[in-house]
């Protein structure tokens, strides 16, 4: 047999054993949760060999293999035995489910003789054994793979019974001796070197007795109550087997329960599923088995694949399925009455909760928004709480009774009214400027007020004594525009009031006046009139003003020594205008912005036209119309008018002696974008050089669009290839041609006949919708509005 042949053999004893290759003490896994019990590959705590040639020396195994039997080297003949000691303390009290010794051959003296390797258990030596000082042999474990091929790197031997005996004997460690059998030990042909012996161990400990028993989530304790006849029972199951870092042993739980006065009616239930310890099992008792007032007990034990725990301590509970009555609520401090109420914000009052005939009340839940705060009841089932309302006005508390089983009663809403005790605040200088002292007066809403505590905005609180009549006054100096003065009072007996939050605004925006334009919504001087605005400060140290009208340019004007400034302004148009202005001090403090509206009056001229009346339709493309301009009655000395029609350049016309003027205007085309609507804008100019605001005159030009008729091409125009005619008829005076477009294509023309018509012959060249657009045009280019003709050609 060649060496290469020998190395290909593998011997697996004890059919179905899992091949385990891992470092010592590490949990072995196959990617699936382990069955009950822990798999570990255990290496010896001590591995050594002896040598007959050096009988007083122990040799530690340093290279992973040890000689056994007889061998020779330059020093002569040697005979060796190997010893392997294993720690058994992790298996104390456990069941050894399977133990497999694993070794292998690293060299063999002669493969032509059979293997004669034995494994023995010896006493565990206190020091490494020598040939002369060898430990006592106690039992033969067996022969190591006598029929396995020679030189294989893995040899296995079943050690389960032997290891279990050692564990049951209470041994803390066990030592195994590997040697060549009997007289063959002196035969060098049987000598070999073997790998350090390891043991693959699957051991199991019974689960612990379950603990942490609960009923409806309540830990087991004396006088335990269940508020349902189908309670959820639970128990925590743990197991001493540690499979870290994988999951623990898979376990099941057995729940047993019985009426305390009828223990023979014991019922057991085993979970149909397994959980990996540690975990908690839950069991819901079926309906119809427990009754109100009955006392019951339950216990739990656990099982893994190989062992069952002891029963847990029993847990007793009594079933109570009846909710308590709605509680009563009473208070002499805050009785259930309306306005003006009692007490006040911050003043505590007592509220007493009563059981209302329920005899098993243990406490109450209460709160101002919902019953969330618990208070225990006394022996009579009542409880008293202290509560200080936070604000005046309508108030309420919500209360629920709780009985011994944890049932809550229906909720009661107790309503009462809290008296308004917040002091009144009077502003003694509402027009005081920013940064100037300001006096406030305080008056009480409670009897016997002796002090007030106040603070401005987020400043530090200050206290002032009240006068004999309970009033007080203080002076504060606001430094910002928006302020809140917080004020509370306190009586001689120490009762607090509610808080008054007095909000006030210190004006910093400048004052504005104008002789020409009032700011009260009435109409002022006409547009075009030069006027003035006078700016006055509302804070000290103003050096300039920034102002603008509507969305116009911002302008800055320097203030005079008195802090005022005057600016000139000439409105170009009438109607509502908005003036905005703020002031600025020499130190850069900017005021609020004052926003005011004023209304320059309109002195725009009037416009009239017979052909093109205002806001109506008239005339048409190529139809001239006259427009007469007349001055406003408030305007004299009109010398001319400036006017423009939309889309055209601005023009002017000289006025007649009476101030009127007439112009003539002829539209050259119908404005399809604006549906024929035209806007005329006119201003009057006077001899003094002023120009009035504009008059706006709108009218609509008639389109004079041609008509389109066809006997062949109606809405349904026949199939592709159909030939027919379209007759165009003009209503535009002087029209010489029709301009038409088919389906958005190129513009084409057709001459107008003496009768004002023209005929177009057309053959349908494609299916579906077609559209024809037609306008009339004169020789001078006057263009009518369009007419549109849509029709369908069958496919």
């Amino acid at each position: 047999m060649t060496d290469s042949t020998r190395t290909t053999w593998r011997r697996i004893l004890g059919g179905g054993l899992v091949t385990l290759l891992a470092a010592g003490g590490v949990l072995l896994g196959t990617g699936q949760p382990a069955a009950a019990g822990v798999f570990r590959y255990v290496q010896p705590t001590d591995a050594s060999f002896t040598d007959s040639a050096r009988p007083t020396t122990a040799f530690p195994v340093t290279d992973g293999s040890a000689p056994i039997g007889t061998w020779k080297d330059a020093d002569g003949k040697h005979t060796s035995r190997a010893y392997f000691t294993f720690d058994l303390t992790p298996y104390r009290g456990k069941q050894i489910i399977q133990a497999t010794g694993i070794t292998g051959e690293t060299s063999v003296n002669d493969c032509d003789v059979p293997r004669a390797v034995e494994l023995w258990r010896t006493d565990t030596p206190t020091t490494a054994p020598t040939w002369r000082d060898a430990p006592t042999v106690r039992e033969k474990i067996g022969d190591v793979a006598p029929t396995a091929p020679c030189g294989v790197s893995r040899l296995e031997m079943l050690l389960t019974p032997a290891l279990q005996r050692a564990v049951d004997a209470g041994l803390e460690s066990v030592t195994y001796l590997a040697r060549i059998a009997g007289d063959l030990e002196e035969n060098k042909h049987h000598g070999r070197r073997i790998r350090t012996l390891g043991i693959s161990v699957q051991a199991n400990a019974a689960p612990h007795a379950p603990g942490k028993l609960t009923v409806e989530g309540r830990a087991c304790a004396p006088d335990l109550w269940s508020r349902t006849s189908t309670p959820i029972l639970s128990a925590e199951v743990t197991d001493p087997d540690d499979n870290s870092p994988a999951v623990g042993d898979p376990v099941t739980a057995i729940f047993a329960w019985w009426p305390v006065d009828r223990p023979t009616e014991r019922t057991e239930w085993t979970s149909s599923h397994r959980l990996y310890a540690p975990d908690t099992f839950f069991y819901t008792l079926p309906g119809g088995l427990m009754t109100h007032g009955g006392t019951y007990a339950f216990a739990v034990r656990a099982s893994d694949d190989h062992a069952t725990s002891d029963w847990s301590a029993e847990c007793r509970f009594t079933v109570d399925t009846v909710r308590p009555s709605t509680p009563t609520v009473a208070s002499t401090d805050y009785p259930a009455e309306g306005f003006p109420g009692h007490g006040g914000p911050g003043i505590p009052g007592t509220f007493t909760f009563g059981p209302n005939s329920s005899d098993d009340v243990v406490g109450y839940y209460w709160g101002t928004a919902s019953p969330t705060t618990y208070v225990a009841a006394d022996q009579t089932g009542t409880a008293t709480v202290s509560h200080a309302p936070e604000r005046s006005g309508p108030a309420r508390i919500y209360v629920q009774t709780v009985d011994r089983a944890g049932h809550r009663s229906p909720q009661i809403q107790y309503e009462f009214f809290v008296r308004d005790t917040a002091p009144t605040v009077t502003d003694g200088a509402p027009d005081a400027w920013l940064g100037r002292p300001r006096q406030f007066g305080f008056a009480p809403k409670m009897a016997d007020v002796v002090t007030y505590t106040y603070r401005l905005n987020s400043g530090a609180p200050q206290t002032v004594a009240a006068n004999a009549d309970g009033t007080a006054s203080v002076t504060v100096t606001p430094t910002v525009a928006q302020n809140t003065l917080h004020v509370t009072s306190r009586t001689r007996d120490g009762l607090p009031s509610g808080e008054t939050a007095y909000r006030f605004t210190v004006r910093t925006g400048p004052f504005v006046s104008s002789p020409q334009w009032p700011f009260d919504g009435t109409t002022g001087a006409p547009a075009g009139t030069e006027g003035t605005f006078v700016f006055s400060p509302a804070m000290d140290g103003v050096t300039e003003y920034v102002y603008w009208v509507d969305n116009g340019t911002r302008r800055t004007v320097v203030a005079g020594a008195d802090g005022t400034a005057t600016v000139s302004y000439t409105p170009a148009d009438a109607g509502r205008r908005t003036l905005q202005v703020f002031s600025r001090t020499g130190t850069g403090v900017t005021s609020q912005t004052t926003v005011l509206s004023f209304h320059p009056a309109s002195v725009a001229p009037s416009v009239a036209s017979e052909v093109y009346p205002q806001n109506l339709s008239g005339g048409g493309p190529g139809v001239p119309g006259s427009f007469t301009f007349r001055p406003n009655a408030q305007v004299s000395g009109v010398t001319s008018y400036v006017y423009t029609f939309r889309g055209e350049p601005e023009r002017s016309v000289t006025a007649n002696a009476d101030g009127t003027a007439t112009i003539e205007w002829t539209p050259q085309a119908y404005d399809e974008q604006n549906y024929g609507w035209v806007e005329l804008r006119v201003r009057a100019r006077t001899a003094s050089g002023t120009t009035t605001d504009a008059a706006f005159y709108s009218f609509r030009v008639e389109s004079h669009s041609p008509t389109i008729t066809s006997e062949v091409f109606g809405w349904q125009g026949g199939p592709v290839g159909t030939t027919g005619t379209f007759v165009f008829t003009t209503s535009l005076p002087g029209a010489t041609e029709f301009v038409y477009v088919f389906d958005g294509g190129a513009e084409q023309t057709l001459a107008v006949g003496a009768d004002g018509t023209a005929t177009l012959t057309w053959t349908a060249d494609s299916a579906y919708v077609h559209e024809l657009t037609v306008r009339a045009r004169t020789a001078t280019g006057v263009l009518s509005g369009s007419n549109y003709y849509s029709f369908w050609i069958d496919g």
Side-chain angles (χ1 to χ4, degrees), residues 178-197:
R179 57 166 291 172
I180 301 299
D183 295 339
L184 300 180
E185 190 176 35
E186 299 292 333
N187 187 334
K188 69 174 184 178
H189 292 283
H190 288 274
R192 59 224 317 117
R193 293 184 70 87
I194 63 171
R195 296 184 185 277
T196 300
L197 178 67

Side-chain angles (χ1 to χ4, degrees), residues 333-562:
D333 298 316
Y334 289 101
E337 299 174 0
F339 183 84
H342 296 77
I347 299 177
T350 58
F351 297 81
T352 300
F353 310 146
N356 194 17
S357 77
S358 296
D359 60 2
D360 58 352
V361 174
V362 297
Y364 299 88
Y365 280 97
W366 71 283
T368 57
S370 61
T372 56
T373 301
Y374 179 77
V375 58
D378 60 20
Q379 292 181 346
T380 66
T382 63
T384 299
V385 300
S386 177
H387 169 59
E390 295 181 356
R391 59 185 60 87
S392 61
R396 59 185 60 86
I397 60 172
Y398 302 88
V399 187
Q400 283 181 303
T401 303
V402 184
D403 69 10
R404 60 197 174 191
H407 290 295
R408 291 197 187 192
S409 72
Q411 176 177 285
I412 186 173
Q413 177 177 298
Y414 181 79
E415 297 182 343
F416 55 99
F417 203 93
V418 181
R419 186 163 58 94
D420 180 11
T421 59
T424 59
V425 177
T426 304
D427 189 346
D431 295 326
W433 286 13
L434 188 69
R436 294 185 180 181
R438 194 175 187 127
Q439 190 178 68
F440 289 89
F442 304 152
K445 288 185 182 177
M446 301 174 69
D448 205 20
V449 166
V450 295
T451 60
Y452 292 92
T453 299
Y454 68 97
R455 62 180 172 87
L456 180 62
N457 302 325
S458 58
Q462 301 183 61
T463 299
V464 61
N467 300 318
D469 61 355
T471 65
S473 63
V474 299
T475 300
V476 299
T477 303
T479 58
V480 294
Q482 302 299 327
N483 298 272
T484 302
L485 184 62
H486 304 269
V487 186
T488 60
S489 65
R490 189 171 293 274
T491 69
R492 192 177 309 278
D493 295 332
L495 295 178
S497 74
E499 181 185 84
T500 295
Y502 184 83
R503 295 174 175 81
F504 64 97
T505 300
V506 181
R507 173 172 180 156
T508 61
F511 298 95
V512 183
S513 63
S514 173
Q516 291 78 26
W517 296 291
F519 300 112
D520 59 2
T522 59
T523 301
T529 302
E530 183 178 13
T532 60
F533 295 109
V534 179
F535 304 147
S536 301
M539 60 182 187
D540 294 323
V542 170
T543 57
E544 63 182 12
Y545 296 88
V546 178
Y547 71 97
W548 63 99
V549 177
D550 296 332
N551 294 318
T553 302
R554 295 193 178 198
R555 293 180 170 84
T556 301
V557 59
V558 177
D562 62 352

Side-chain angles (χ1 to χ4, degrees), residues 46-54 57-61 65-71 78-84 117-120 122 128-137 175-186 191-194:
D46 184 78
S48 64
F49 64 90
T50 61
D51 185 353
S52 61
R54 298 174 66 182
T57 303
F59 300 89
V61 176
S65 68
I68 59 173
T70 298
W71 49 284
H78 305 262
T79 301
S80 294
R81 297 172 182 173
Y83 294 86
F84 306 99
V117 179
E118 297 176 338
L119 196 67
W120 295 76
T122 71
T130 64
W131 184 267
R132 180 174 297 171
D133 187 19
T136 302
V137 174
T175 299
Y176 291 114
L177 161 66
R179 57 166 291 172
I180 301 299
D183 295 339
L184 300 180
E185 190 176 35
E186 299 292 333
R192 59 224 317 117
R193 293 184 70 87
I194 63 171

